[in-house]
Amino acid sequence: MKEYILLIDTTDDKGLVYNISKVLYANNLNIEQNSEYVDPDTLKFFMRTVITGDIKKDILLKELKEVLPLNSTIKLNEKQNKDVVILATKESHVLGDLLIRYFDGELNANIKAVIANHEHLRDLVEKFDIPFYCISAEGLSREEHEDKMIEKINEFEPELIVLAKYMRILTSKFVNTYPKRVLNIHHSFLPAFIGANPYKQAYERGVKIIGATAHYVTDDLDEGPIIFQDVVRVDHSYSWQEMRNAGRNVEKIVLYNAFQLLLDDKVFVYKNKTVIL
Protein backbone atom coordinates (compact mmCIF):
# COMPACT_ATOMS: atom_id res chain seq x y z
CA MET A 1 0.00 0.00 0.00
CA LYS A 2 1.33 3.44 -0.94
CA GLU A 3 2.44 5.85 1.74
CA TYR A 4 1.85 9.59 1.55
CA ILE A 5 3.29 12.47 3.54
CA LEU A 6 0.86 15.20 4.57
CA LEU A 7 2.48 18.54 5.43
CA ILE A 8 0.46 21.32 7.04
CA ASP A 9 1.48 24.70 8.38
CA THR A 10 -1.08 27.17 9.63
CA THR A 11 -2.05 29.46 12.50
CA ASP A 12 -2.43 27.51 15.73
CA ASP A 13 -6.00 26.97 16.90
CA LYS A 14 -7.94 24.67 19.18
CA GLY A 15 -8.91 21.34 17.69
CA LEU A 16 -6.53 21.35 14.73
CA VAL A 17 -5.19 17.84 15.29
CA TYR A 18 -8.70 16.54 16.00
CA ASN A 19 -10.15 18.11 12.86
CA ILE A 20 -7.32 16.86 10.65
CA SER A 21 -7.53 13.36 12.11
CA LYS A 22 -11.31 13.35 11.65
CA VAL A 23 -10.92 14.09 7.92
CA LEU A 24 -8.31 11.35 7.54
CA TYR A 25 -10.55 8.87 9.36
CA ALA A 26 -13.56 9.82 7.24
CA ASN A 27 -11.48 9.08 4.13
CA ASN A 28 -10.56 5.64 5.51
CA LEU A 29 -6.89 6.56 5.83
CA ASN A 30 -4.49 5.27 8.47
CA ILE A 31 -1.97 7.45 10.32
CA GLU A 32 1.39 5.65 10.40
CA GLN A 33 3.47 8.46 11.93
CA ASN A 34 2.69 11.95 13.18
CA SER A 35 4.75 14.91 14.39
CA GLU A 36 3.59 18.37 15.43
CA TYR A 37 5.12 21.63 16.62
CA VAL A 38 3.75 25.04 17.63
CA ASP A 39 6.11 28.02 17.56
CA PRO A 40 5.45 29.82 20.87
CA ASP A 41 6.47 33.21 19.49
CA THR A 42 4.41 33.25 16.30
CA LEU A 43 1.72 30.67 17.21
CA LYS A 44 2.48 28.94 13.93
CA PHE A 45 1.41 25.28 13.78
CA PHE A 46 3.37 22.63 11.84
CA MET A 47 2.34 19.02 11.27
CA ARG A 48 3.90 16.14 9.32
CA THR A 49 1.82 12.99 9.00
CA VAL A 50 2.61 9.74 7.18
CA ILE A 51 -0.62 8.15 5.98
CA THR A 52 -1.64 5.04 4.03
CA GLY A 53 -4.79 4.07 2.19
CA ASP A 54 -6.63 4.63 -1.06
CA ILE A 55 -6.19 8.37 -1.40
CA LYS A 56 -8.35 10.58 -3.57
CA LYS A 57 -6.07 13.59 -3.49
CA ASP A 58 -8.44 16.31 -4.70
CA ILE A 59 -11.19 15.27 -2.30
CA LEU A 60 -8.82 14.99 0.66
CA LEU A 61 -7.23 18.39 0.08
CA LYS A 62 -10.65 20.02 -0.34
CA GLU A 63 -11.94 18.56 2.93
CA LEU A 64 -8.78 19.55 4.81
CA LYS A 65 -9.06 23.14 3.58
CA GLU A 66 -12.62 23.26 4.91
CA VAL A 67 -11.51 22.50 8.49
CA LEU A 68 -8.30 24.58 8.56
CA PRO A 69 -7.73 28.35 8.84
CA LEU A 70 -7.72 30.27 5.56
CA ASN A 71 -3.96 30.94 5.64
CA SER A 72 -3.08 27.22 5.75
CA THR A 73 -0.51 25.60 3.51
CA ILE A 74 -1.27 21.96 2.74
CA LYS A 75 0.96 19.60 0.76
CA LEU A 76 0.40 15.93 0.04
CA ASN A 77 3.38 14.04 -1.40
CA GLU A 78 3.58 10.41 -2.32
CA LYS A 79 6.45 8.78 -0.43
CA GLN A 80 8.91 7.98 -3.20
CA ASN A 81 12.42 8.78 -4.35
CA LYS A 82 12.97 12.36 -5.48
CA ASP A 83 14.76 13.29 -8.70
CA VAL A 84 17.99 15.13 -7.93
CA VAL A 85 20.74 16.95 -9.82
CA ILE A 86 24.12 17.56 -8.14
CA LEU A 87 26.37 20.51 -8.98
CA ALA A 88 30.12 20.27 -8.33
CA THR A 89 33.44 21.91 -9.18
CA LYS A 90 36.72 20.15 -8.29
CA GLU A 91 36.51 18.89 -4.70
CA SER A 92 35.56 15.23 -4.48
CA HIS A 93 34.97 14.50 -0.79
CA VAL A 94 31.32 15.57 -0.48
CA LEU A 95 30.30 14.31 -3.93
CA GLY A 96 32.11 11.00 -3.45
CA ASP A 97 30.38 10.41 -0.12
CA LEU A 98 26.94 11.03 -1.65
CA LEU A 99 27.68 8.74 -4.60
CA ILE A 100 28.77 5.88 -2.32
CA ARG A 101 25.67 6.30 -0.14
CA TYR A 102 23.53 6.39 -3.28
CA PHE A 103 25.18 3.21 -4.57
CA ASP A 104 24.53 1.53 -1.21
CA GLY A 105 20.85 2.52 -1.28
CA GLU A 106 21.05 4.96 1.64
CA LEU A 107 19.45 7.88 -0.23
CA ASN A 108 15.77 8.12 -1.15
CA ALA A 109 16.80 9.77 -4.39
CA ASN A 110 17.23 9.30 -8.10
CA ILE A 111 20.46 11.11 -8.99
CA LYS A 112 19.75 12.08 -12.58
CA ALA A 113 23.05 13.83 -13.32
CA VAL A 114 26.12 15.58 -11.96
CA ILE A 115 26.90 18.92 -13.61
CA ALA A 116 30.23 20.64 -13.01
CA ASN A 117 32.15 23.62 -14.31
CA HIS A 118 35.37 21.58 -14.57
CA GLU A 119 36.22 18.11 -15.87
CA HIS A 120 38.05 16.96 -12.74
CA LEU A 121 35.28 14.74 -11.36
CA ARG A 122 34.13 13.01 -14.56
CA ASP A 123 35.96 9.72 -13.88
CA LEU A 124 34.59 9.54 -10.33
CA VAL A 125 30.98 10.14 -11.37
CA GLU A 126 31.04 7.79 -14.34
CA LYS A 127 32.26 4.95 -12.10
CA PHE A 128 28.73 5.03 -10.65
CA ASP A 129 27.04 5.03 -14.08
CA ILE A 130 25.63 8.51 -13.49
CA PRO A 131 25.66 11.04 -16.37
CA PHE A 132 28.31 13.75 -15.99
CA TYR A 133 28.18 17.07 -17.81
CA CYS A 134 30.86 19.74 -17.81
CA ILE A 135 29.68 23.26 -18.55
CA SER A 136 32.77 25.44 -18.43
CA ALA A 137 32.46 29.05 -17.34
CA GLU A 138 35.58 30.07 -19.24
CA GLY A 139 34.95 33.07 -21.46
CA LEU A 140 31.36 33.46 -20.26
CA SER A 141 29.74 36.02 -18.00
CA ARG A 142 28.16 34.67 -14.84
CA GLU A 143 24.72 35.13 -16.38
CA GLU A 144 25.67 33.38 -19.63
CA HIS A 145 27.11 30.44 -17.74
CA GLU A 146 24.07 30.14 -15.50
CA ASP A 147 21.75 30.19 -18.51
CA LYS A 148 23.57 27.13 -19.84
CA MET A 149 23.43 25.48 -16.40
CA ILE A 150 19.70 26.15 -16.07
CA GLU A 151 19.04 24.78 -19.54
CA LYS A 152 20.84 21.52 -18.70
CA ILE A 153 19.32 21.21 -15.21
CA ASN A 154 15.81 21.66 -16.59
CA GLU A 155 16.26 18.66 -18.87
CA PHE A 156 16.05 16.48 -15.74
CA GLU A 157 13.21 18.34 -13.96
CA PRO A 158 14.78 17.81 -10.52
CA GLU A 159 12.87 18.25 -7.30
CA LEU A 160 16.12 19.08 -5.50
CA ILE A 161 19.50 20.51 -6.50
CA VAL A 162 22.50 19.77 -4.29
CA LEU A 163 25.63 21.91 -4.34
CA ALA A 164 28.43 19.44 -3.54
CA LYS A 165 31.13 22.10 -3.08
CA TYR A 166 30.02 23.96 -6.19
CA MET A 167 32.38 26.90 -5.91
CA ARG A 168 30.47 29.61 -7.73
CA ILE A 169 28.26 32.35 -6.33
CA LEU A 170 24.74 32.02 -7.72
CA THR A 171 22.79 34.96 -9.09
CA SER A 172 19.28 35.94 -8.05
CA LYS A 173 17.98 34.56 -11.34
CA PHE A 174 19.29 31.08 -10.55
CA VAL A 175 18.06 31.13 -6.97
CA ASN A 176 14.61 32.34 -7.98
CA THR A 177 14.38 29.69 -10.70
CA TYR A 178 14.57 26.99 -8.01
CA PRO A 179 13.08 28.44 -4.79
CA LYS A 180 13.55 26.21 -1.73
CA ARG A 181 15.03 23.53 -3.95
CA VAL A 182 18.78 24.20 -3.69
CA LEU A 183 20.86 22.75 -0.83
CA ASN A 184 24.35 24.01 -0.01
CA ILE A 185 27.12 23.19 2.47
CA HIS A 186 29.80 25.47 3.91
CA HIS A 187 32.31 25.31 6.71
CA SER A 188 31.23 27.13 9.83
CA PHE A 189 34.24 29.42 10.04
CA LEU A 190 32.18 31.95 8.12
CA PRO A 191 32.40 34.88 8.48
CA ALA A 192 35.48 34.66 10.73
CA PHE A 193 37.78 33.12 8.13
CA ILE A 194 36.85 33.93 4.56
CA GLY A 195 38.85 33.87 1.38
CA ALA A 196 41.80 31.61 0.59
CA ASN A 197 42.60 28.63 2.83
CA PRO A 198 40.29 29.19 5.82
CA TYR A 199 41.75 26.12 7.56
CA LYS A 200 45.23 27.64 7.60
CA GLN A 201 43.73 30.82 9.03
CA ALA A 202 41.93 28.76 11.67
CA TYR A 203 45.13 26.91 12.54
CA GLU A 204 46.97 30.19 13.03
CA ARG A 205 44.23 31.37 15.40
CA GLY A 206 44.24 28.17 17.45
CA VAL A 207 40.68 27.17 16.64
CA LYS A 208 39.26 24.40 18.87
CA ILE A 209 36.01 23.59 17.03
CA ILE A 210 35.44 22.99 13.33
CA GLY A 211 31.91 22.83 11.99
CA ALA A 212 29.75 22.76 8.91
CA THR A 213 26.33 24.13 8.02
CA ALA A 214 23.87 22.85 5.41
CA HIS A 215 21.23 25.33 4.34
CA TYR A 216 18.84 26.38 1.61
CA VAL A 217 20.32 28.73 -0.94
CA THR A 218 18.84 32.25 -1.02
CA ASP A 219 19.96 35.61 -2.38
CA ASP A 220 21.83 36.20 0.89
CA LEU A 221 25.10 34.33 0.46
CA ASP A 222 25.38 31.44 2.96
CA GLU A 223 22.54 32.91 5.04
CA GLY A 224 19.59 30.81 3.90
CA PRO A 225 17.47 28.78 6.35
CA ILE A 226 19.68 26.28 8.19
CA ILE A 227 18.75 22.62 7.89
CA PHE A 228 21.56 20.78 9.69
CA GLN A 229 24.81 21.59 11.51
CA ASP A 230 27.53 19.69 13.33
CA VAL A 231 31.00 20.19 14.81
CA VAL A 232 34.18 18.28 15.60
CA ARG A 233 36.76 19.22 18.20
CA VAL A 234 40.41 19.85 17.34
CA ASP A 235 43.36 21.01 19.42
CA HIS A 236 46.85 22.50 19.27
CA SER A 237 48.36 19.24 18.00
CA TYR A 238 46.48 19.44 14.67
CA SER A 239 48.26 20.77 11.60
CA TRP A 240 46.17 22.92 9.29
CA GLN A 241 46.03 19.97 6.89
CA GLU A 242 44.59 17.77 9.66
CA MET A 243 42.08 20.50 10.46
CA ARG A 244 41.09 20.55 6.80
CA ASN A 245 40.59 16.77 6.84
CA ALA A 246 38.45 17.02 9.97
CA GLY A 247 36.44 19.78 8.30
CA ARG A 248 35.89 17.70 5.19
CA ASN A 249 34.62 14.79 7.27
CA VAL A 250 32.06 16.93 9.07
CA GLU A 251 30.99 18.53 5.78
CA LYS A 252 30.18 15.09 4.36
CA ILE A 253 28.10 14.12 7.40
CA VAL A 254 26.22 17.40 7.57
CA LEU A 255 25.32 17.48 3.88
CA TYR A 256 24.14 13.87 3.94
CA ASN A 257 21.90 14.47 6.95
CA ALA A 258 20.39 17.64 5.52
CA PHE A 259 19.86 15.96 2.16
CA GLN A 260 18.08 13.03 3.76
CA LEU A 261 15.79 15.37 5.72
CA LEU A 262 14.75 17.04 2.47
CA LEU A 263 14.27 13.73 0.69
CA ASP A 264 11.99 12.61 3.53
CA ASP A 265 9.90 15.83 3.46
CA LYS A 266 10.81 16.65 7.06
CA VAL A 267 11.73 20.31 6.57
CA PHE A 268 9.35 23.26 6.93
CA VAL A 269 10.58 26.77 6.14
CA TYR A 270 9.17 29.75 8.02
CA LYS A 271 10.74 33.17 7.51
CA ASN A 272 14.51 32.47 7.61
CA LYS A 273 14.46 29.39 9.80
CA THR A 274 13.43 25.77 9.52
CA VAL A 275 11.26 23.42 11.55
CA ILE A 276 12.33 19.77 11.32
CA LEU A 277 9.63 17.18 12.01
Side-chain angles (χ1 to χ4, degrees):
M1 187 175 293
K2 289 183 178 179
E3 287 189 335
Y4 292 80
I5 300 174
L6 176 64
L7 305 168
I8 295 173
D9 68 84
T10 187
T11 303
D12 190 33
D13 199 3
K14 291 181 179 179
L16 282 177
V17 176
Y18 170 77
N19 288 328
I20 295 166
S21 301
K22 186 169 65 174
V23 170
L24 297 177
Y25 179 79
N27 281 269
N28 199 31
L29 301 174
N30 191 49
I31 297 175
E32 304 291 341
Q33 297 176 20
N34 189 65
S35 301
E36 308 145 27
Y37 173 72
V38 177
D39 187 314
D41 296 323
T42 62
L43 296 181
K44 190 80 169 173
F45 172 87
F46 302 89
M47 182 170 172
R48 177 186 184 272
T49 308
V50 179
I51 55 179
T52 55
D54 183 14
I55 289 182
K56 296 177 176 60
K57 187 172 183 178
D58 291 342
I59 294 174
L60 179 61
L61 292 177
K62 176 179 177 294
E63 292 181 0
L64 286 169
K65 287 178 182 178
E66 290 172 352
V67 301
L68 291 171
L70 292 176
N71 66 342
S72 303
T73 299
I74 309 169
K75 296 179 182 178
L76 182 63
N77 300 330
E78 185 176 345
K79 196 172 182 181
Q80 59 186 2
N81 289 359
K82 296 186 187 301
D83 290 342
V84 176
V85 167
I86 299 177
L87 306 188
T89 296
K90 295 180 180 179
E91 294 186 60
S92 62
H93 61 288
V94 170
L95 176 62
D97 182 70
L98 291 182
L99 294 179
I100 290 171
R101 293 180 185 275
Y102 180 66
F103 179 80
D104 286 341
E106 293 184 33
L107 294 172
N108 301 322
N110 303 314
I111 298 179
K112 309 298 286 187
V114 174
I115 305 173
N117 57 317
H118 291 275
E119 286 280 357
H120 290 61
L121 301 172
R122 179 180 293 277
D123 288 346
L124 170 63
V125 174
E126 292 182 346
K127 283 182 171 65
F128 293 88
D129 295 323
I130 294 172
F132 178 89
Y133 301 91
C134 176
I135 300 178
S136 174
E138 188 173 350
L140 300 176
S141 69
R142 187 176 303 278
E143 291 75 14
E144 290 171 335
H145 181 251
E146 282 193 358
D147 285 344
K148 290 180 176 292
M149 294 289 290
I150 290 170
E151 182 180 4
K152 178 56 68 175
I153 290 169
N154 287 347
E155 290 180 15
F156 303 100
E157 299 181 342
E159 295 170 78
L160 292 172
I161 299 168
V162 179
L163 308 187
K165 304 298 288 185
Y166 181 64
M167 307 305 289
R168 289 181 63 82
I169 296 173
L170 299 173
T171 67
S172 294
K173 177 182 177 180
F174 189 99
V175 173
N176 294 327
T177 301
Y178 309 107
K180 297 179 185 176
R181 291 164 61 189
V182 185
L183 172 65
N184 191 27
I185 180 79
H186 69 253
H187 64 74
S188 290
F189 293 141
L190 295 171
F193 306 118
I194 60 176
N197 206 335
Y199 289 101
K200 192 170 184 180
Q201 297 178 58
Y203 167 77
E204 291 169 350
R205 283 285 304 275
V207 159
K208 300 297 187 286
I209 293 177
I210 292 173
T213 296
H215 59 94
Y216 280 111
V217 174
T218 64
D219 281 339
D220 298 316
L221 181 64
D222 290 327
E223 294 184 15
I226 293 169
I227 300 169
F228 198 89
Q229 294 177 294
D230 204 354
V231 297
V232 291
R233 293 192 176 275
V234 296
D235 60 34
H236 62 276
S237 68
Y238 281 65
S239 65
W240 74 261
Q241 293 92 341
E242 289 170 329
M243 285 189 176
R244 179 190 60 197
N245 292 341
R248 287 177 173 175
N249 284 334
V250 75
E251 284 178 347
K252 292 187 291 187
I253 293 167
V254 166
L255 186 62
Y256 164 72
N257 280 288
F259 189 23
Q260 195 67 279
L261 290 171
L262 292 178
L263 292 172
D264 291 341
D265 289 314
K266 292 188 173 184
V267 182
F268 292 83
V269 177
Y270 181 59
K271 295 185 177 178
N272 198 45
K273 63 189 292 187
T274 60
V275 172
I276 312 294
L277 292 179

